[in-house]
Amino acid sequence: MSKDSIQDAVRKSLEKYFRDLGEQAPSDVYEMVIATVEKPVFEAVMARADGNQSLAAEMLGINRNTLRKKLQAHGLM
């Protein structure tokens, strides 16, 4: 799956989300998307890194301590 495919999937999901809201006003959309996408990203990267947090942090381009906090927050540790 390419970057464009992922962007298309997110865009289509958001369009459906807005349609499903109907007349309700959306709120906290950014936080909702980040919270929804972040966990599977960490799961996939940790699997790819065979559980090696240093490698996973490098792959993600984030600090290892940040990764550990995020993994704990998502119940992945």
Side-chain angles (χ1 to χ4, degrees), residues 1-12 37 41:
M1 180 177 265
S2 71
K3 178 182 172 183
D4 289 339
S5 297
I6 294 169
Q7 288 176 342
D8 287 342
V10 171
R11 188 176 298 108
K12 287 176 185 174
V37 172
V41 167

Side-chain angles (χ1 to χ4, degrees), residues 3 8 10 13-14 21 25-26 32-33 35 38 40-41 45-46 48 50 52 57 64 67-68 72-73 75:
K3 178 182 172 183
D8 287 342
V10 171
S13 293
L14 282 170
L21 278 178
M32 177 195 68
V33 171
E38 200 172 53
V41 167
V45 171
M46 288 299 295
R48 178 72 180 213
D50 292 324
N52 182 318
R64 185 175 174 277
L67 173 62
R68 287 183 57 78
Q72 289 173 339

Side-chain angles (χ1 to χ4, degrees), residues 38 42 62 65-76:
E38 200 172 53
F42 289 129
I62 63 175
N65 290 333
T66 300
L67 173 62
R68 287 183 57 78
K69 288 178 191 174
K70 296 285 190 175
L71 291 174
Q72 289 173 339
H74 289 291
L76 298 174

Side-chain angles (χ1 to χ4, degrees), residues 14-27:
L14 282 170
E15 289 168 358
K16 182 179 181 332
Y17 170 75
F18 290 134
R19 274 195 312 275
D20 291 347
L21 278 178
E23 296 300 316
Q24 291 179 317
S27 65

